Amino acid sequence: MALHTLAVLVENSPGVLARVASLFSRRGYNIDSLAVGPTEDPKISRMTIVLNLEGHALDQVSAQLFKLINVIGIQEMKPAESYERELLLVKVGSNGPALDEVARRYGARVVDKSDNSVVVELVAESDEISALLSDLAPFGVKELVQSGAIALERGVKTLSDRVREEQGLSNPDEGNVAESATADYQN
Amino acid sequence: MNSLEHAGVDVMFGIPGGAILPAYDPIFDSKIRHILVRHEQGAGHAATGYAQATGKVGVCIATSGPGATNLVTPLADAQMDSVPIVAITGQVPGPAIGTDAFQEADIRGITMPITKHNYLITDPDQIPAAISEAFHIASTGRPGPVLVDIAKDALQKMTSFAWPKQRELAGYRLQLDPEVGAINDAARLIAQSQKPVFYVGGGVIKANAAKELFRLAELVGAPVVTTLMARGAFPDSHPLHLGMPGMHGTVAAVTALQKADLLITLGARFDDRVTGKLSTFAVNARVIHADIDPAEIGKNRFADVALIGDLKRTMASLVPALEKEFTKSKPDLTLWWKQMGGLRSTYPLGYDHPADGLSPQYVIERIGAISGPDSIYCAGVGQHQMWASQFIKYEKPRTWLNSGGLGTMGYAVPAAMGAKVGAPDTSVWAIDGDGCFQMTNQELVTCAINKIPIKVAVINNESLGMVRQWQTLFYSSRYSNTDLHSKRIPDFVKLADAMGCIGLRCESREEVDATINKAMEINDAPVVIDFSVNRDAMVWPMVAAGTSNDEIMIAREMAPDWGSQEL
């Protein structure tokens, strides 16, 4: 088993998240993390889904996801070809230079300080976040919150470019073909 | 209503209620025929039967809350069997949604996993686009059910009607033609195969591709097996046909898949009822998998060659590719046919006449023989369904309708009603069990009132026969809760009479033909025949659930005699 990250473009319409969640639940796929947010196009949202799966199962998940009418495009974000980041906010029950030193080593920011606690923020890859957390453990972690991973492909290519290309290549006159197929069914 | 007329709907099945009332008022003046059913489940299965018999989209309509939830079973059924239906439901008014209002149910949420797609519409201007998309999605690609839930206030508001000129479905893409390279790979595999089998599924019927299959099968000359959903896709009378594979398939069909070196899979999905224990299924076979749904490729079984596309086009392009390959080499299938033909003649489907009571298989076989291959046969789920798939000879697509995937008891009567509405000049039989019949027979009232003269054969073994068979075989004949006492109560003949149908009874072998003939002569009212049959009859052959197809039994504790035959 290994972690795989999928970037999924979906229509920004009600119920889309429920559809994706329902699919994962029904087919028994385990989600490691899920992050959803807007994109450069207000009609489209982007989900980043991290899954713990074997290679073959990943193809099946992608194929099943792609069957959802509101899913526009899917791409695996391979580690070598993409940037992947998570956000950690952690409340630690002590204050002092030792803690500041740990934060500094990880490039983490101390965003809130009071007598007996500080809040540390780190944007990093998953491994680094785990490492910081284990280094913070001796200081006493009181509460933590972590976002799902988000990922972006390196280089000039974008996922929406790919989607447009696929649509163009696979079905140049899709509208017409689909129209006639429906007409057949009704005759 | 305007939208439905634009979508080409000519008939729909439904029941009105508060939230859908605004849509029902214009039905009064519409050219669309509305058939008022007695239970929404009946409307859903009727839409399915109509769609399966005609190839058109079936339509059902219901109100919010319980009206909508009663459609859940038929929607799940249509999803599993890839049947194009559109369900229209009323929803409580937009401002009331989410307040637990009277007759409110989140039917969009409920049906998400059991529909191809669904909508909740609260803006009247979105109704035409949603209806247009619903019919498009239901009927194209891999067909399936689509639900459109419309808030009452959206149905009430006045708006100007505009039928969308084109649809905006960025995420719905169809691949209709398989890649040329894959077609050539498939042709090469077929030309090299010594033991090929056509594993034909319901997709061939959905794609209206029976002609293309016929041509392809004759070109290759390989054995053909048709799954439960594909009965009729290839003529039973054809010498290449080995029958149905699967849990209750013929020895020849099951063994052909099992021993093949190549499965030419056409619109089938390697269902557990066909493969038996998956790890032991067709272990020496390479797989060509042709399907319109990319997610089926490799779902249960690895495919060596994937042909993603419309089956009609796929098979049409396979033919010239194969003709070219065959000029180089055409394998000799004589030995393969000697083996498979031998199994077919040694182990034909059969049954015994019991000492007391009627043989259910005989009844079903006679219905098929007398009514003939032009009739449409619907079945419920259970023993009678398996016998109807085994002992009726199907020659044409869309003549065998049943609930294969979901296994919905109670499917037969409403589906037959829908089929008869779609094919009014065809004799439509519901072959039903006494258990199934008691789940949905109220639609006979609908049939009687709306002059939909279907014929129902109740194969009455006064028990939940298939469950009883499993109890006999796997639970030491402990018949826990499978005795329905239906030879005593209800009296099916009186029940039929009460519902405005003609009721007939048949208790002996001598009466069978005469009773069926009598039913054939009645065309102005639904007919119900109570065939009182022996309850101990069992469905054979059988591959017990979870076991390997290699362990097929032709009768209790009786395996085929494989002899020294090396397959």
Side-chain angles (χ1 to χ4, degrees):
Chain A
M1 303 279 260
L3 289 180
H4 299 271
T5 304
L6 291 181
V8 184
L9 290 186
V10 299
E11 281 175 52
N12 181 13
S13 64
V16 174
L17 182 59
R19 271 179 221 286
V20 171
S22 158
L23 172 71
F24 279 73
S25 148
R26 181 169 98 74
R27 301 237 177 227
Y29 307 142
N30 273 322
I31 299 182
D32 218 67
S33 81
L34 171 76
V36 198
T39 65
E40 69 284 354
D41 180 343
K43 285 191 286 191
I44 294 175
S45 302
R46 178 161 170 147
M47 296 185 181
T48 308
I49 307 174
V50 181
L51 296 148
N52 200 353
L53 287 172
E54 288 304 335
H56 161 74
L58 186 72
D59 293 343
Q60 182 56 207
V61 174
S62 301
Q64 293 292 352
L65 266 176
F66 200 59
K67 262 170 84 167
L68 296 177
I69 310 290
N70 302 125
V71 170
I72 297 166
I74 303 177
Q75 195 189 346
E76 186 182 359
M77 297 278 117
K78 298 204 169 113
E81 295 156 19
S82 60
Y83 279 112
E84 189 168 315
R85 292 293 180 267
E86 290 169 30
L87 167 64
L88 169 79
L89 294 172
V90 57
K91 196 174 281 180
V92 185
S94 70
N95 203 342
L99 182 71
D100 290 343
E101 171 53 25
V102 171
R104 199 190 53 76
R105 224 170 44 233
Y106 284 88
R109 293 203 301 152
V110 174
V111 292
D112 181 63
K113 265 190 183 182
S114 62
D115 286 349
N116 288 316
S117 80
V118 296
V119 175
V120 179
E121 172 201 284
L122 177 64
V123 175
E125 288 179 44
S126 173
D127 293 351
E128 222 174 319
I129 288 186
S130 306
L132 171 66
L133 282 174
S134 60
D135 282 355
L136 288 178
F139 297 96
V141 171
K142 290 165 75 174
E143 190 176 23
L144 74 86
V145 57
Q146 212 177 322
S147 75
I150 55 172
L152 203 60
E153 191 182 4
R154 292 165 191 260
V156 70
K157 275 253 161 155
T158 69
L159 179 47
S160 27
D161 283 344
R162 284 178 197 281
V163 169
R164 266 193 292 276
E165 261 170 40
E166 272 170 30
Q167 281 174 332
L169 288 177
S170 65
N171 257 325
D173 53 352
E174 189 212 24
N176 298 332
V177 172
E179 201 72 54
S180 63
T182 317
D184 279 351
Y185 253 96
Q186 291 302 329
N187 285 327
Chain B
M1 284 309 298
N2 220 332
S3 295
L4 290 171
E5 284 176 1
H6 265 80
V9 176
D10 46 19
V11 62
M12 52 195 200
F13 304 87
I15 305 184
I20 194 73
L21 261 182
Y24 263 85
D25 191 60
I27 291 180
F28 219 48
D29 311 316
S30 169
K31 60 178 185 186
I32 298 177
R33 181 181 181 195
H34 178 273
I35 293 168
L36 175 61
V37 298
R38 291 300 178 270
H39 187 291
E40 289 86 353
Q41 186 188 354
H45 291 315
T48 296
Y50 175 88
Q52 283 178 312
T54 64
K56 297 196 267 185
V57 178
V59 183
C60 53
I61 178 163
T63 195
S64 65
T69 56
N70 279 343
L71 288 176
V72 166
T73 299
L75 286 169
D77 184 271
Q79 171 81 346
M80 288 286 263
D81 286 345
S82 307
V83 184
I85 65 170
V86 168
I88 312 285
T89 49
Q91 180 55 275
V92 299
I97 292 176
T99 65
D100 304 321
F102 177 65
Q103 292 197 327
E104 180 184 2
D106 174 19
I107 198 63
R108 184 186 53 164
I110 291 169
T111 59
M112 254 180 207
I114 53 161
T115 52
K116 185 172 174 186
H117 194 51
N118 59 14
Y119 294 86
L120 168 61
I121 302 299
T122 50
D123 173 357
D125 291 334
Q126 287 174 359
I127 293 175
I131 301 279
S132 159
E133 288 176 14
F135 278 82
H136 176 61
I137 291 169
S139 61
T140 53
R142 180 180 184 168
V146 180
L147 176 131
V148 185
D149 193 26
I150 311 174
K152 185 174 186 179
D153 53 342
L155 289 168
Q156 279 167 324
K157 272 181 205 145
M158 297 305 281
T159 181
S160 57
F161 178 80
W163 188 245
K165 287 205 175 60
Q166 85 192 78
R167 300 178 202 92
E168 290 178 27
L169 284 168
Y172 187 61
R173 267 161 282 160
L174 303 170
Q175 186 178 338
L176 298 175
D177 288 302
E179 287 159 26
V180 178
I183 290 282
N184 292 334
D185 290 347
R188 215 167 301 127
L189 275 187
I190 295 171
Q192 287 163 3
S193 164
Q194 305 298 311
K195 300 173 175 179
V197 180
F198 285 100
Y199 164 24
V200 175
V204 170
I205 294 176
K206 306 278 169 358
N208 295 319
K211 263 191 219 136
E212 286 74 11
L213 170 63
F214 196 91
R215 173 120 194 266
L216 182 63
E218 292 210 320
L219 174 64
V220 178
V224 175
V225 304
T226 51
T227 68
L228 182 64
M229 292 308 295
R231 306 286 293 121
F234 194 74
D236 275 354
S237 57
H238 198 285
L240 294 176
H241 203 170
L242 293 183
M244 181 173 77
M247 183 176 263
H248 294 296
T250 64
V251 173
V254 171
T255 312
L257 288 182
Q258 207 61 355
K259 302 296 178 190
D261 67 3
L262 178 67
L263 302 183
I264 309 163
T265 313
L266 304 167
R269 59 183 179 89
F270 296 90
D271 177 72
D272 57 275
R273 285 311 195 246
V274 166
T275 63
K277 190 176 171 190
L278 194 58
S279 59
T280 65
F281 173 69
V283 285
N284 298 316
R286 305 243 251 168
V287 172
I288 296 169
H289 195 171
D291 207 292
I292 188 89
D293 179 359
E296 283 303 333
I297 309 294
K299 186 184 77 178
N300 292 342
R301 171 70 184 246
F302 174 78
D304 296 276
V305 177
L307 300 174
I308 300 168
D310 172 64
L311 270 175
K312 207 178 169 88
R313 298 188 188 200
T314 302
M315 288 194 278
S317 33
L318 253 181
V319 167
L322 267 171
E323 280 167 343
K324 206 170 127 203
E325 280 297 322
F326 283 165
T327 57
K328 290 182 237 162
S329 73
K330 189 168 179 185
D332 180 6
L333 305 180
T334 317
L335 180 63
W336 180 228
W337 265 114
K338 201 174 150 221
Q339 294 166 339
M340 290 306 117
L343 284 176
R344 175 166 58 188
S345 50
T346 313
Y347 299 107
L349 291 166
Y351 57 89
D352 296 324
H353 288 283
D356 58 323
L358 201 48
S359 151
Q361 297 98 325
Y362 176 74
V363 170
I364 292 169
E365 190 174 57
R366 291 309 300 157
I367 292 173
I370 292 172
S371 197
D374 290 325
S375 303
I376 293 173
Y377 303 90
C378 306
V381 170
Q383 288 184 314
H384 66 278
Q385 172 193 28
M386 290 297 112
W387 289 321
S389 71
Q390 292 176 331
F391 294 105
I392 295 173
K393 297 299 156 213
Y394 301 96
E395 299 291 318
K396 301 172 176 182
R398 302 194 185 281
T399 55
W400 162 245
L401 319 183
N402 83 131
S403 169
L406 193 66
T408 312
M409 286 179 68
Y411 168 88
V413 168
M417 171 171 78
K420 183 72 182 173
V421 169
D425 301 326
T426 304
S427 291
V428 178
W429 280 89
I431 313 269
D432 219 357
D434 50 308
C436 290
F437 183 68
Q438 290 183 72
M439 291 190 175
T440 49
N441 64 53
Q442 78 284 342
E443 296 314 333
L444 282 171
V445 174
T446 313
C447 289
I449 290 174
N450 292 281
K451 304 266 179 284
I452 305 166
I454 63 168
K455 303 178 200 309
V456 183
V458 181
I459 308 300
N460 183 357
N461 60 3
E462 57 187 332
S463 51
L464 298 166
M466 186 60 92
V467 186
R468 186 181 147 94
Q469 174 168 343
W470 286 42
Q471 287 172 332
T472 305
L473 296 173
F474 312 121
Y475 293 87
S476 330
S477 296
R478 285 160 50 83
Y479 299 119
S480 170
N481 291 283
T482 45
D483 192 344
L484 292 169
H485 304 282
S486 20
K487 284 182 185 166
R488 220 159 36 82
I489 300 173
D491 181 326
F492 288 127
V493 173
K494 279 190 191 160
L495 181 65
D497 189 44
M499 290 192 289
C501 306
I502 312 275
L504 304 170
R505 198 184 309 277
C506 177
E507 288 170 329
S508 72
R509 193 168 159 184
E510 293 68 41
E511 300 168 336
V512 170
D513 280 20
T515 316
I516 296 169
N517 281 320
K518 193 166 176 192
M520 291 303 294
E521 284 159 17
I522 301 168
N523 285 313
D524 54 354
V527 186
V528 178
I529 311 175
D530 180 3
F531 286 103
S532 180
V533 302
N534 182 282
R535 67 179 351 190
D536 294 321
M538 287 202 247
V539 183
W540 298 107
M542 179 170 189
V543 178
T547 68
S548 166
N549 279 349
D550 294 330
E551 294 163 55
I552 187 170
M553 294 286 172
I554 48 171
R556 194 167 187 184
E557 287 165 16
M558 200 186 198
D561 178 11
W562 303 115
S564 55
Q565 202 178 33
E566 201 53 52
L567 292 174

